[in-house]
Amino acid sequence: MARFRYQKKDGEFGAALASMEIPIGFAGTAAIAEAADIIKREGRQDIAAAGFSKRWQNALRVNLYPKRGASMNAAAVIYHKIQYAGVFEEGATIVGKPLLWLPLPDAPKGRGGASIRPSEYRARIGHPLYSIRRPGKAPLLGANIRVTKARSQKGISLSQLKRGRNPGGKGEVRLVPLYIGVPRVNIRDRFSIREITERAANRLADLYLKHLNPNS
């Protein structure tokens, strides 16, 4: 029977562990970065499939830590720049106080293509909104807009909204509904970012081995 004896040398284990820190840190950081790329790519595709604009898609972001180099404590933070995006992940019921005013197709658009809220309308357009009561139906908010026959078929432009009642223009002035008031809105879940993140997290072990042994 063969016998082996191992004699420990001071600092040997620590030195061996330190020599592995660089490849372990590199593999861990690379695995986190690849998983984050998967989440960002598939997450943006998921948002697009739900019918949301490029702005909404690109607002899904990833921050990697550390920002440079490698670390055994690498991490990624996945977030959406639009603060209320979470309601489309989990669904929600939003209740008005007393009403929520939802934009109709002719409501003016602001920066990024988002509709201007009624509270912003006067400051942005320069003309007031008027209540339109409809017995037994949801109330409306509208504006007096000068509309020609040709342009009325193409929708209401921002310049038409700003002209409003201005005298001397072509066409007739109409009270055009821009917003509808409802007591509440039920928003169903439309995103699957959490599910996409969990799938990518479950792949971390394989991604780690892939980057630890790039030639295997």
Side-chain angles (χ1 to χ4, degrees), residues 2-30:
R3 293 185 178 181
F4 298 90
R5 174 179 292 181
Y6 171 73
Q7 185 174 357
K8 173 183 174 295
K9 295 181 180 179
D10 290 341
E12 187 178 61
F13 178 77
L17 185 62
S19 69
M20 288 296 295
E21 184 172 339
I22 292 176
I24 289 174
F26 172 81
T29 302

Side-chain angles (χ1 to χ4, degrees), residues 18 40 55 66 74-75 84 95 104 109 149 152 181 195 213:
K40 183 167 68 172
R55 171 175 169 264
Y84 56 89
V95 179
L104 295 170
K109 302 292 191 297
K149 183 176 181 180
S152 67
E195 182 181 334
N213 302 295

Side-chain angles (χ1 to χ4, degrees), residues 19 22 31 46 52 55 71 86 122 131 145 165 197 207 213 215:
S19 69
I22 292 176
D46 182 65
F52 285 72
R55 171 175 169 264
S71 171
R122 178 112 194 203
S131 296
I145 300 169
R165 286 183 175 273
T197 302
L207 295 174
N213 302 295
N215 299 321

Side-chain angles (χ1 to χ4, degrees), residues 106-119:
D106 285 329
K109 302 292 191 297
R111 186 176 179 181
S115 296
I116 295 173
R117 296 192 301 266
S119 58

Side-chain angles (χ1 to χ4, degrees), residues 29-45 47 56-68 74-82 193 196-197 200 204:
T29 302
I32 290 289
E34 186 170 350
D37 283 342
I38 292 170
I39 295 167
K40 183 167 68 172
R41 183 180 66 254
E42 294 186 0
R44 288 180 174 180
Q45 291 172 352
I47 294 170
W56 274 80
Q57 298 165 41
N58 292 338
L60 181 67
R61 304 293 180 86
V62 175
N63 284 347
L64 293 175
Y65 301 96
K67 294 182 178 180
R68 294 183 180 85
V77 175
I78 317 296
Y79 67 100
H80 202 284
K81 287 189 68 177
I82 299 175
I193 309 302
I196 290 168
T197 302
L204 277 174

